[in-house]
Amino acid sequence: MKNTVHVQRAIHKMTQADLSVAIGVSRQTINSIEKNRYVPSTVLALKIAQLFKVAVEDVFELDEND
């Protein structure tokens, strides 16, 4: 799964710590999501998309291996 969490953070001028506090996870979780080491739950993906005011598909995208 590909994601643009780091791009969305940059657009909204947020650090990993800012995002983690806003959605209630650790900074390490955000880091793992951005490095594609962790696939977030549906609820977490929706929280991220809602915070950035975009569709979940604008942040997360299946790749051909998924």
mmCIF file with all atom_site columns, all heavy atoms in Angstrom, residues 22-25 33 38-51 56 60:
data_model
loop_
_atom_site.group_PDB
_atom_site.id
_atom_site.type_symbol
_atom_site.label_atom_id
_atom_site.label_alt_id
_atom_site.label_comp_id
_atom_site.label_asym_id
_atom_site.label_entity_id
_atom_site.label_seq_id
_atom_site.pdbx_PDB_ins_code
_atom_site.Cartn_x
_atom_site.Cartn_y
_atom_site.Cartn_z
_atom_site.occupancy
_atom_site.B_iso_or_equiv
_atom_site.pdbx_formal_charge
_atom_site.auth_seq_id
_atom_site.auth_comp_id
_atom_site.auth_asym_id
_atom_site.auth_atom_id
_atom_site.pdbx_PDB_model_num
ATOM 1   N N   . ALA A 1 22 ? -2.839  14.470 17.335 1.00 0.00 ? 22 ALA A N   1
ATOM 2   C CA  . ALA A 1 22 ? -4.153  14.794 16.774 1.00 0.00 ? 22 ALA A CA  1
ATOM 3   C C   . ALA A 1 22 ? -5.027  13.563 16.576 1.00 0.00 ? 22 ALA A C   1
ATOM 4   O O   . ALA A 1 22 ? -6.245  13.645 16.708 1.00 0.00 ? 22 ALA A O   1
ATOM 5   C CB  . ALA A 1 22 ? -3.989  15.533 15.451 1.00 0.00 ? 22 ALA A CB  1
ATOM 6   N N   . ILE A 1 23 ? -4.409  12.407 16.267 1.00 0.00 ? 23 ILE A N   1
ATOM 7   C CA  . ILE A 1 23 ? -5.217  11.210 16.018 1.00 0.00 ? 23 ILE A CA  1
ATOM 8   C C   . ILE A 1 23 ? -5.071  10.141 17.099 1.00 0.00 ? 23 ILE A C   1
ATOM 9   O O   . ILE A 1 23 ? -5.688  9.093  17.011 1.00 0.00 ? 23 ILE A O   1
ATOM 10  C CB  . ILE A 1 23 ? -4.939  10.610 14.624 1.00 0.00 ? 23 ILE A CB  1
ATOM 11  C CG1 . ILE A 1 23 ? -3.489  10.183 14.479 1.00 0.00 ? 23 ILE A CG1 1
ATOM 12  C CG2 . ILE A 1 23 ? -5.339  11.588 13.535 1.00 0.00 ? 23 ILE A CG2 1
ATOM 13  C CD1 . ILE A 1 23 ? -3.200  9.427  13.208 1.00 0.00 ? 23 ILE A CD1 1
ATOM 14  N N   . GLY A 1 24 ? -4.243  10.410 18.110 1.00 0.00 ? 24 GLY A N   1
ATOM 15  C CA  . GLY A 1 24 ? -4.173  9.518  19.255 1.00 0.00 ? 24 GLY A CA  1
ATOM 16  C C   . GLY A 1 24 ? -3.333  8.272  19.101 1.00 0.00 ? 24 GLY A C   1
ATOM 17  O O   . GLY A 1 24 ? -3.692  7.211  19.610 1.00 0.00 ? 24 GLY A O   1
ATOM 18  N N   . VAL A 1 25 ? -2.222  8.391  18.381 1.00 0.00 ? 25 VAL A N   1
ATOM 19  C CA  . VAL A 1 25 ? -1.274  7.281  18.256 1.00 0.00 ? 25 VAL A CA  1
ATOM 20  C C   . VAL A 1 25 ? 0.125   7.793  18.585 1.00 0.00 ? 25 VAL A C   1
ATOM 21  O O   . VAL A 1 25 ? 0.325   8.991  18.778 1.00 0.00 ? 25 VAL A O   1
ATOM 22  C CB  . VAL A 1 25 ? -1.292  6.640  16.845 1.00 0.00 ? 25 VAL A CB  1
ATOM 23  C CG1 . VAL A 1 25 ? -2.651  6.060  16.521 1.00 0.00 ? 25 VAL A CG1 1
ATOM 24  C CG2 . VAL A 1 25 ? -0.868  7.634  15.779 1.00 0.00 ? 25 VAL A CG2 1
ATOM 25  N N   . ILE A 1 33 ? 3.972   4.122  9.409  1.00 0.00 ? 33 ILE A N   1
ATOM 26  C CA  . ILE A 1 33 ? 3.013   4.248  8.303  1.00 0.00 ? 33 ILE A CA  1
ATOM 27  C C   . ILE A 1 33 ? 3.699   4.922  7.112  1.00 0.00 ? 33 ILE A C   1
ATOM 28  O O   . ILE A 1 33 ? 3.595   4.444  5.978  1.00 0.00 ? 33 ILE A O   1
ATOM 29  C CB  . ILE A 1 33 ? 1.770   5.051  8.740  1.00 0.00 ? 33 ILE A CB  1
ATOM 30  C CG1 . ILE A 1 33 ? 0.945   4.242  9.748  1.00 0.00 ? 33 ILE A CG1 1
ATOM 31  C CG2 . ILE A 1 33 ? 0.918   5.439  7.528  1.00 0.00 ? 33 ILE A CG2 1
ATOM 32  C CD1 . ILE A 1 33 ? -0.159  5.043  10.426 1.00 0.00 ? 33 ILE A CD1 1
ATOM 33  N N   . TYR A 1 38 ? 3.942   -0.319 8.310  1.00 0.00 ? 38 TYR A N   1
ATOM 34  C CA  . TYR A 1 38 ? 2.724   -0.581 9.067  1.00 0.00 ? 38 TYR A CA  1
ATOM 35  C C   . TYR A 1 38 ? 1.528   -0.119 8.240  1.00 0.00 ? 38 TYR A C   1
ATOM 36  O O   . TYR A 1 38 ? 1.508   1.004  7.753  1.00 0.00 ? 38 TYR A O   1
ATOM 37  C CB  . TYR A 1 38 ? 2.768   0.174  10.400 1.00 0.00 ? 38 TYR A CB  1
ATOM 38  C CG  . TYR A 1 38 ? 1.516   0.060  11.236 1.00 0.00 ? 38 TYR A CG  1
ATOM 39  C CD1 . TYR A 1 38 ? 1.214   -1.111 11.909 1.00 0.00 ? 38 TYR A CD1 1
ATOM 40  C CD2 . TYR A 1 38 ? 0.649   1.133  11.363 1.00 0.00 ? 38 TYR A CD2 1
ATOM 41  C CE1 . TYR A 1 38 ? 0.065   -1.216 12.681 1.00 0.00 ? 38 TYR A CE1 1
ATOM 42  C CE2 . TYR A 1 38 ? -0.497  1.048  12.140 1.00 0.00 ? 38 TYR A CE2 1
ATOM 43  C CZ  . TYR A 1 38 ? -0.781  -0.133 12.786 1.00 0.00 ? 38 TYR A CZ  1
ATOM 44  O OH  . TYR A 1 38 ? -1.916  -0.228 13.549 1.00 0.00 ? 38 TYR A OH  1
ATOM 45  N N   . VAL A 1 39 ? 0.551   -1.020 8.088  1.00 0.00 ? 39 VAL A N   1
ATOM 46  C CA  . VAL A 1 39 ? -0.683  -0.672 7.387  1.00 0.00 ? 39 VAL A CA  1
ATOM 47  C C   . VAL A 1 39 ? -1.713  -0.309 8.447  1.00 0.00 ? 39 VAL A C   1
ATOM 48  O O   . VAL A 1 39 ? -2.037  -1.122 9.301  1.00 0.00 ? 39 VAL A O   1
ATOM 49  C CB  . VAL A 1 39 ? -1.192  -1.855 6.528  1.00 0.00 ? 39 VAL A CB  1
ATOM 50  C CG1 . VAL A 1 39 ? -2.526  -1.511 5.890  1.00 0.00 ? 39 VAL A CG1 1
ATOM 51  C CG2 . VAL A 1 39 ? -0.156  -2.226 5.472  1.00 0.00 ? 39 VAL A CG2 1
ATOM 52  N N   . PRO A 1 40 ? -2.203  0.923  8.417  1.00 0.00 ? 40 PRO A N   1
ATOM 53  C CA  . PRO A 1 40 ? -3.136  1.357  9.461  1.00 0.00 ? 40 PRO A CA  1
ATOM 54  C C   . PRO A 1 40 ? -4.488  0.665  9.342  1.00 0.00 ? 40 PRO A C   1
ATOM 55  O O   . PRO A 1 40 ? -4.883  0.222  8.261  1.00 0.00 ? 40 PRO A O   1
ATOM 56  C CB  . PRO A 1 40 ? -3.281  2.862  9.205  1.00 0.00 ? 40 PRO A CB  1
ATOM 57  C CG  . PRO A 1 40 ? -3.004  3.011  7.758  1.00 0.00 ? 40 PRO A CG  1
ATOM 58  C CD  . PRO A 1 40 ? -1.960  1.974  7.431  1.00 0.00 ? 40 PRO A CD  1
ATOM 59  N N   . SER A 1 41 ? -5.178  0.597  10.465 1.00 0.00 ? 41 SER A N   1
ATOM 60  C CA  . SER A 1 41 ? -6.541  0.073  10.464 1.00 0.00 ? 41 SER A CA  1
ATOM 61  C C   . SER A 1 41 ? -7.432  1.014  9.672  1.00 0.00 ? 41 SER A C   1
ATOM 62  O O   . SER A 1 41 ? -7.062  2.160  9.378  1.00 0.00 ? 41 SER A O   1
ATOM 63  C CB  . SER A 1 41 ? -7.055  -0.035 11.900 1.00 0.00 ? 41 SER A CB  1
ATOM 64  O OG  . SER A 1 41 ? -7.220  1.262  12.451 1.00 0.00 ? 41 SER A OG  1
ATOM 65  N N   . THR A 1 42 ? -8.607  0.537  9.354  1.00 0.00 ? 42 THR A N   1
ATOM 66  C CA  . THR A 1 42 ? -9.576  1.372  8.647  1.00 0.00 ? 42 THR A CA  1
ATOM 67  C C   . THR A 1 42 ? -9.893  2.622  9.452  1.00 0.00 ? 42 THR A C   1
ATOM 68  O O   . THR A 1 42 ? -9.935  3.736  8.910  1.00 0.00 ? 42 THR A O   1
ATOM 69  C CB  . THR A 1 42 ? -10.868 0.577  8.386  1.00 0.00 ? 42 THR A CB  1
ATOM 70  O OG1 . THR A 1 42 ? -10.541 -0.615 7.676  1.00 0.00 ? 42 THR A OG1 1
ATOM 71  C CG2 . THR A 1 42 ? -11.873 1.395  7.593  1.00 0.00 ? 42 THR A CG2 1
ATOM 72  N N   . VAL A 1 43 ? -10.094 2.457  10.748 1.00 0.00 ? 43 VAL A N   1
ATOM 73  C CA  . VAL A 1 43 ? -10.423 3.598  11.605 1.00 0.00 ? 43 VAL A CA  1
ATOM 74  C C   . VAL A 1 43 ? -9.287  4.618  11.596 1.00 0.00 ? 43 VAL A C   1
ATOM 75  O O   . VAL A 1 43 ? -9.518  5.820  11.463 1.00 0.00 ? 43 VAL A O   1
ATOM 76  C CB  . VAL A 1 43 ? -10.735 3.132  13.046 1.00 0.00 ? 43 VAL A CB  1
ATOM 77  C CG1 . VAL A 1 43 ? -10.856 4.312  13.993 1.00 0.00 ? 43 VAL A CG1 1
ATOM 78  C CG2 . VAL A 1 43 ? -11.995 2.281  13.069 1.00 0.00 ? 43 VAL A CG2 1
ATOM 79  N N   . LEU A 1 44 ? -8.060  4.149  11.716 1.00 0.00 ? 44 LEU A N   1
ATOM 80  C CA  . LEU A 1 44 ? -6.916  5.060  11.723 1.00 0.00 ? 44 LEU A CA  1
ATOM 81  C C   . LEU A 1 44 ? -6.765  5.769  10.380 1.00 0.00 ? 44 LEU A C   1
ATOM 82  O O   . LEU A 1 44 ? -6.517  6.975  10.323 1.00 0.00 ? 44 LEU A O   1
ATOM 83  C CB  . LEU A 1 44 ? -5.645  4.295  12.090 1.00 0.00 ? 44 LEU A CB  1
ATOM 84  C CG  . LEU A 1 44 ? -4.383  5.110  12.285 1.00 0.00 ? 44 LEU A CG  1
ATOM 85  C CD1 . LEU A 1 44 ? -4.600  6.237  13.296 1.00 0.00 ? 44 LEU A CD1 1
ATOM 86  C CD2 . LEU A 1 44 ? -3.260  4.198  12.755 1.00 0.00 ? 44 LEU A CD2 1
ATOM 87  N N   . ALA A 1 45 ? -6.937  5.039  9.292  1.00 0.00 ? 45 ALA A N   1
ATOM 88  C CA  . ALA A 1 45 ? -6.855  5.656  7.963  1.00 0.00 ? 45 ALA A CA  1
ATOM 89  C C   . ALA A 1 45 ? -7.931  6.728  7.791  1.00 0.00 ? 45 ALA A C   1
ATOM 90  O O   . ALA A 1 45 ? -7.670  7.806  7.249  1.00 0.00 ? 45 ALA A O   1
ATOM 91  C CB  . ALA A 1 45 ? -6.995  4.592  6.875  1.00 0.00 ? 45 ALA A CB  1
ATOM 92  N N   . LEU A 1 46 ? -9.133  6.445  8.274  1.00 0.00 ? 46 LEU A N   1
ATOM 93  C CA  . LEU A 1 46 ? -10.216 7.420  8.189  1.00 0.00 ? 46 LEU A CA  1
ATOM 94  C C   . LEU A 1 46 ? -9.938  8.648  9.048  1.00 0.00 ? 46 LEU A C   1
ATOM 95  O O   . LEU A 1 46 ? -10.228 9.777  8.644  1.00 0.00 ? 46 LEU A O   1
ATOM 96  C CB  . LEU A 1 46 ? -11.545 6.779  8.580  1.00 0.00 ? 46 LEU A CB  1
ATOM 97  C CG  . LEU A 1 46 ? -12.114 5.798  7.562  1.00 0.00 ? 46 LEU A CG  1
ATOM 98  C CD1 . LEU A 1 46 ? -13.264 5.007  8.170  1.00 0.00 ? 46 LEU A CD1 1
ATOM 99  C CD2 . LEU A 1 46 ? -12.558 6.504  6.301  1.00 0.00 ? 46 LEU A CD2 1
ATOM 100 N N   . LYS A 1 47 ? -9.361  8.450  10.232 1.00 0.00 ? 47 LYS A N   1
ATOM 101 C CA  . LYS A 1 47 ? -9.011  9.579  11.096 1.00 0.00 ? 47 LYS A CA  1
ATOM 102 C C   . LYS A 1 47 ? -7.998  10.486 10.413 1.00 0.00 ? 47 LYS A C   1
ATOM 103 O O   . LYS A 1 47 ? -8.108  11.720 10.458 1.00 0.00 ? 47 LYS A O   1
ATOM 104 C CB  . LYS A 1 47 ? -8.429  9.094  12.431 1.00 0.00 ? 47 LYS A CB  1
ATOM 105 C CG  . LYS A 1 47 ? -9.444  8.591  13.410 1.00 0.00 ? 47 LYS A CG  1
ATOM 106 C CD  . LYS A 1 47 ? -8.749  8.197  14.697 1.00 0.00 ? 47 LYS A CD  1
ATOM 107 C CE  . LYS A 1 47 ? -9.710  7.718  15.744 1.00 0.00 ? 47 LYS A CE  1
ATOM 108 N NZ  . LYS A 1 47 ? -9.016  7.393  17.014 1.00 0.00 ? 47 LYS A NZ  1
ATOM 109 N N   . ILE A 1 48 ? -6.999  9.886  9.779  1.00 0.00 ? 48 ILE A N   1
ATOM 110 C CA  . ILE A 1 48 ? -5.970  10.665 9.087  1.00 0.00 ? 48 ILE A CA  1
ATOM 111 C C   . ILE A 1 48 ? -6.591  11.461 7.944  1.00 0.00 ? 48 ILE A C   1
ATOM 112 O O   . ILE A 1 48 ? -6.365  12.665 7.803  1.00 0.00 ? 48 ILE A O   1
ATOM 113 C CB  . ILE A 1 48 ? -4.830  9.753  8.586  1.00 0.00 ? 48 ILE A CB  1
ATOM 114 C CG1 . ILE A 1 48 ? -4.057  9.180  9.781  1.00 0.00 ? 48 ILE A CG1 1
ATOM 115 C CG2 . ILE A 1 48 ? -3.905  10.494 7.631  1.00 0.00 ? 48 ILE A CG2 1
ATOM 116 C CD1 . ILE A 1 48 ? -3.088  8.060  9.430  1.00 0.00 ? 48 ILE A CD1 1
ATOM 117 N N   . ALA A 1 49 ? -7.408  10.795 7.122  1.00 0.00 ? 49 ALA A N   1
ATOM 118 C CA  . ALA A 1 49 ? -8.043  11.468 5.992  1.00 0.00 ? 49 ALA A CA  1
ATOM 119 C C   . ALA A 1 49 ? -8.968  12.589 6.467  1.00 0.00 ? 49 ALA A C   1
ATOM 120 O O   . ALA A 1 49 ? -8.968  13.689 5.894  1.00 0.00 ? 49 ALA A O   1
ATOM 121 C CB  . ALA A 1 49 ? -8.813  10.459 5.154  1.00 0.00 ? 49 ALA A CB  1
ATOM 122 N N   . GLN A 1 50 ? -9.725  12.316 7.512  1.00 0.00 ? 50 GLN A N   1
ATOM 123 C CA  . GLN A 1 50 ? -10.649 13.323 8.033  1.00 0.00 ? 50 GLN A CA  1
ATOM 124 C C   . GLN A 1 50 ? -9.899  14.546 8.568  1.00 0.00 ? 50 GLN A C   1
ATOM 125 O O   . GLN A 1 50 ? -10.293 15.682 8.325  1.00 0.00 ? 50 GLN A O   1
ATOM 126 C CB  . GLN A 1 50 ? -11.517 12.715 9.125  1.00 0.00 ? 50 GLN A CB  1
ATOM 127 C CG  . GLN A 1 50 ? -12.590 13.644 9.645  1.00 0.00 ? 50 GLN A CG  1
ATOM 128 C CD  . GLN A 1 50 ? -13.477 12.968 10.668 1.00 0.00 ? 50 GLN A CD  1
ATOM 129 O OE1 . GLN A 1 50 ? -12.993 12.230 11.521 1.00 0.00 ? 50 GLN A OE1 1
ATOM 130 N NE2 . GLN A 1 50 ? -14.763 13.212 10.575 1.00 0.00 ? 50 GLN A NE2 1
ATOM 131 N N   . LEU A 1 51 ? -8.805  14.298 9.269  1.00 0.00 ? 51 LEU A N   1
ATOM 132 C CA  . LEU A 1 51 ? -8.005  15.400 9.789  1.00 0.00 ? 51 LEU A CA  1
ATOM 133 C C   . LEU A 1 51 ? -7.499  16.294 8.665  1.00 0.00 ? 51 LEU A C   1
ATOM 134 O O   . LEU A 1 51 ? -7.519  17.521 8.770  1.00 0.00 ? 51 LEU A O   1
ATOM 135 C CB  . LEU A 1 51 ? -6.829  14.858 10.609 1.00 0.00 ? 51 LEU A CB  1
ATOM 136 C CG  . LEU A 1 51 ? -5.885  15.910 11.167 1.00 0.00 ? 51 LEU A CG  1
ATOM 137 C CD1 . LEU A 1 51 ? -6.559  16.658 12.329 1.00 0.00 ? 51 LEU A CD1 1
ATOM 138 C CD2 . LEU A 1 51 ? -4.598  15.283 11.636 1.00 0.00 ? 51 LEU A CD2 1
ATOM 139 N N   . VAL A 1 56 ? -10.087 9.256  1.842  1.00 0.00 ? 56 VAL A N   1
ATOM 140 C CA  . VAL A 1 56 ? -9.075  8.282  2.268  1.00 0.00 ? 56 VAL A CA  1
ATOM 141 C C   . VAL A 1 56 ? -8.233  7.823  1.067  1.00 0.00 ? 56 VAL A C   1
ATOM 142 O O   . VAL A 1 56 ? -7.041  7.558  1.208  1.00 0.00 ? 56 VAL A O   1
ATOM 143 C CB  . VAL A 1 56 ? -9.728  7.108  3.042  1.00 0.00 ? 56 VAL A CB  1
ATOM 144 C CG1 . VAL A 1 56 ? -10.487 6.179  2.122  1.00 0.00 ? 56 VAL A CG1 1
ATOM 145 C CG2 . VAL A 1 56 ? -8.713  6.356  3.868  1.00 0.00 ? 56 VAL A CG2 1
ATOM 146 N N   . PHE A 1 60 ? -4.254  7.074  0.948  1.00 0.00 ? 60 PHE A N   1
ATOM 147 C CA  . PHE A 1 60 ? -3.843  5.657  0.869  1.00 0.00 ? 60 PHE A CA  1
ATOM 148 C C   . PHE A 1 60 ? -4.305  5.063  -0.453 1.00 0.00 ? 60 PHE A C   1
ATOM 149 O O   . PHE A 1 60 ? -5.418  5.288  -0.875 1.00 0.00 ? 60 PHE A O   1
ATOM 150 C CB  . PHE A 1 60 ? -4.439  4.860  2.026  1.00 0.00 ? 60 PHE A CB  1
ATOM 151 C CG  . PHE A 1 60 ? -3.980  5.346  3.366  1.00 0.00 ? 60 PHE A CG  1
ATOM 152 C CD1 . PHE A 1 60 ? -4.764  6.209  4.100  1.00 0.00 ? 60 PHE A CD1 1
ATOM 153 C CD2 . PHE A 1 60 ? -2.756  4.953  3.888  1.00 0.00 ? 60 PHE A CD2 1
ATOM 154 C CE1 . PHE A 1 60 ? -4.332  6.687  5.343  1.00 0.00 ? 60 PHE A CE1 1
ATOM 155 C CE2 . PHE A 1 60 ? -2.328  5.410  5.105  1.00 0.00 ? 60 PHE A CE2 1
ATOM 156 C CZ  . PHE A 1 60 ? -3.116  6.285  5.839  1.00 0.00 ? 60 PHE A CZ  1
#
